[in-house]
Amino acid sequence: MKIPPHIVQRYLPVLVVVFMGLALWSDQAPFNDPSPTENTAREGSATKTPGGAQPSGFSEGSKNQASDETRMAIHHYNEGNGFLSRGDWQEAVRNYKMALRHDKHLHPVYINLSSAYLKGQQFDAALETLNTLKEMEPDSPHLYYNLACYHALQNQTDEALTALKQSVQLGYKQFDAIRQDPDLASLRQTDAFKMWLNTLG
């Protein structure tokens, strides 16, 4: 059937827009939301990553524009969160390392990897991970929170309080975690911490 020219001219712009929209939509494959859905203790973790921050998700661009490597990184990140939430820090470490092999620039992975190491009392590995992140994102409040936990677990309370103050100065707001996190137990016993805590309101 031949379509009359006036019909073609009338609807052609609409059809062009529709087909362009379909073409763009087909190229945008969504991936899993990197934000964990379970209770978190530090940024990005789906469990007790000694700390207390809820992540807002990755900032490395739109989800719909993520590369295949980034999608695989996020997949392993989410897997690691699941293992960490069940207390399996070793499998969590394995998945976080796989995530970083796919995309070493996803900063929340470093936070959770250090948290998994702390859970397993792998203190040297935790510190190395945090130092790596410090080179990439020196103003991360969650980085300094985890450093505070690391130092507190080592009974280095002066260093722990310094790191915790830095975390709050950079925007860390999980004050309940600061008051309750078991990794900060040694720090909370100090007079210096108690005096500083009173300033938080």
Side-chain angles (χ1 to χ4, degrees):
M1 181 180 73
K2 185 175 180 181
I3 301 175
H6 71 279
I7 296 295
V8 173
Q9 291 176 353
R10 181 175 179 181
Y11 291 103
L12 184 58
V14 175
L15 292 173
V16 169
V17 170
V18 169
F19 281 113
M20 287 180 63
L22 288 173
L24 288 173
W25 177 82
S26 66
D27 288 336
Q28 307 293 327
F31 58 79
N32 290 338
D33 186 349
S35 302
T37 58
E38 302 175 42
N39 291 334
T40 318
R42 278 199 208 119
E43 179 185 58
S45 132
T47 183
K48 159 79 175 89
T49 46
Q54 291 285 350
S56 59
F58 294 119
S59 60
E60 273 68 10
S62 165
K63 293 178 186 179
N64 291 335
Q65 295 175 342
S67 68
D68 289 341
E69 286 296 303
T70 299
R71 290 175 190 170
M72 286 303 300
I74 291 171
H75 167 74
H76 288 296
Y77 168 82
N78 287 330
E79 288 291 301
N81 290 344
F83 282 112
L84 196 55
S85 71
R86 298 189 289 274
D88 191 342
W89 68 269
Q90 291 173 311
E91 278 300 306
V93 164
R94 187 179 70 84
N95 275 277
Y96 292 141
K97 284 184 173 181
M98 290 174 68
L100 292 176
R101 279 198 289 271
H102 285 288
D103 191 334
K104 66 180 181 180
H105 298 293
L106 294 181
H107 299 159
V109 180
Y110 291 92
I111 297 295
N112 287 18
L113 177 58
S114 70
S115 297
Y117 279 135
L118 289 177
K119 190 176 185 68
Q121 298 185 341
Q122 306 297 303
F123 298 116
D124 290 345
L127 183 59
E128 181 181 355
T129 301
L130 291 170
N131 284 335
T132 299
L133 178 59
K134 186 185 287 188
E135 294 177 1
M136 296 187 292
E137 193 178 21
D139 294 329
S140 165
H142 303 288
L143 160 68
Y144 288 97
Y145 187 94
N146 276 27
L147 278 173
C149 290
Y150 163 81
H151 287 299
L153 288 168
Q154 300 289 301
N155 291 313
Q156 300 166 350
T157 54
D158 289 343
E159 294 87 344
L161 184 56
T162 298
L164 192 57
K165 288 179 178 179
Q166 182 72 11
S167 175
V168 171
Q169 288 172 0
L170 290 170
Y172 191 85
K173 301 295 185 185
Q174 301 290 325
F175 298 144
D176 286 342
I178 292 174
R179 295 183 178 95
Q180 301 170 13
D181 191 337
D183 285 351
L184 297 175
S186 66
L187 177 59
R188 283 196 296 271
Q189 296 173 9
T190 66
D191 291 337
F193 172 85
K194 294 173 184 176
M195 292 177 61
W196 172 74
L197 187 64
N198 288 335
T199 68
L200 296 182

